Amino acid sequence: MREQAEQNKTAWEYRAYEFWNQLNGTPAEFAAEIKANSDVRLIHRKYFENVTGKKIANPCGSNGRQAVKLAYRGNEVTIFDISEENKRYALELAKEAGVNIEYILGDFCETDLTKYGNMFDIVYPEGGILHYFSDIDAFTKTLYAITKPNGILILSDYHPYRKINGLEQTEGDYFDSRWHNRNVAYQDEFPQEEQALFPKCICRYFTLSEIINSVIASGFTIKEFIEHPHYEDTKRPGEFTIIAYKI
């Protein structure tokens, strides 16, 4: 496993299960929400309308918050993620929701392509993940490799503009390609006196052109690129979504 992945694994296995219970409720409570409405907090619901019976990959799928909803709709979903604590919450959530998901633990860029190559109808990485990878080309090549011919990629992430506006704190240099030690995403949700105990993540921030060109270079054909407004300030971008196909 790569150095960056090892460090991020350590960070994301520190009190993550505890945090997910605080944020979403227990797996039983969150599952009850999903069973009442599988659209609840499904970020890209318009792309999954009437989607059922599909093989869906959810790279960096974390605690199963999207995967379990998609499985509940009748799809076969596989999460690829690095955190044992995320896996614990996700599998408990799936059990409480009455569905099965597959959870592959490890560095996504080291995915076993003899098993998962050309497998998935839909590949859906989302939610602020790209900065956890040092080599975006390795990441997008793996996305391409696991997608079936004629399959679709739905890639959504934080807009790179955010990092020069105080949210990511990389000294304001949009073109900065260095690695940075950063707090794990949920650290600030814990008491101040406990935060010094949290391991750091290693992050590398990419420009928008690096992301788009990497998707193209991997072999995908981009159909659509959407910029979404920030939820706190709709005058500036917060996230983006790329829709692409493996032709």
Side-chain angles (χ1 to χ4, degrees), residues 92-160:
E92 290 180 9
L93 178 62
K95 182 179 179 181
E96 293 290 347
V99 299
N100 292 314
I101 61 171
E102 183 179 21
Y103 205 111
I104 307 303
L105 196 66
D107 183 347
F108 177 67
C109 293
E110 297 178 355
T111 294
D112 181 358
L113 298 181
T114 60
K115 182 175 182 179
Y116 295 102
N118 297 307
M119 175 176 282
F120 298 100
D121 301 292
I122 301 171
V123 177
Y124 180 42
E126 60 82 31
I129 59 174
L130 293 179
H131 53 275
Y132 293 116
F133 293 87
S134 58
D135 186 344
I136 194 170
D137 290 336
F139 178 74
T140 57
K141 286 177 183 177
T142 307
L143 294 177
Y144 185 84
I146 66 174
T147 306
K148 283 182 178 179
N150 300 313
I152 183 172
L153 169 70
I154 303 170
L155 168 62
S156 187
D157 206 81
Y158 297 150
H159 197 292

Side-chain angles (χ1 to χ4, degrees), residues 17-149:
Y17 180 82
E18 180 182 350
F19 170 69
W20 295 128
N21 276 271
Q22 292 175 5
L23 180 67
N24 295 320
T26 66
E29 291 168 338
F30 194 12
E33 285 189 56
I34 292 171
K35 288 189 282 188
N37 177 14
S38 63
D39 272 350
V40 63
R41 288 181 272 179
L42 181 59
I43 306 302
H44 298 89
R45 62 175 61 86
K46 74 174 186 178
Y47 299 110
F48 294 102
E49 290 179 0
N50 304 315
V51 170
T52 187
K54 300 294 185 181
K55 290 182 180 290
I56 301 177
N58 186 205
C60 305
S62 188
N63 68 340
R65 63 186 182 273
Q66 308 298 349
V68 172
K69 296 167 198 171
L70 295 170
Y72 193 75
R73 290 167 169 236
N75 298 291
E76 186 177 331
V77 187
T78 300
I79 292 176
F80 298 85
D81 198 89
I82 207 161
S83 168
E84 186 71 55
E85 293 232 331
N86 285 348
K87 179 180 180 180
R88 178 185 172 191
Y89 189 97
L91 294 182
E92 290 180 9
L93 178 62
K95 182 179 179 181
E96 293 290 347
V99 299
N100 292 314
I101 61 171
E102 183 179 21
Y103 205 111
I104 307 303
L105 196 66
D107 183 347
F108 177 67
C109 293
E110 297 178 355
T111 294
D112 181 358
L113 298 181
T114 60
K115 182 175 182 179
Y116 295 102
N118 297 307
M119 175 176 282
F120 298 100
D121 301 292
I122 301 171
V123 177
Y124 180 42
E126 60 82 31
I129 59 174
L130 293 179
H131 53 275
Y132 293 116
F133 293 87
S134 58
D135 186 344
I136 194 170
D137 290 336
F139 178 74
T140 57
K141 286 177 183 177
T142 307
L143 294 177
Y144 185 84
I146 66 174
T147 306
K148 283 182 178 179

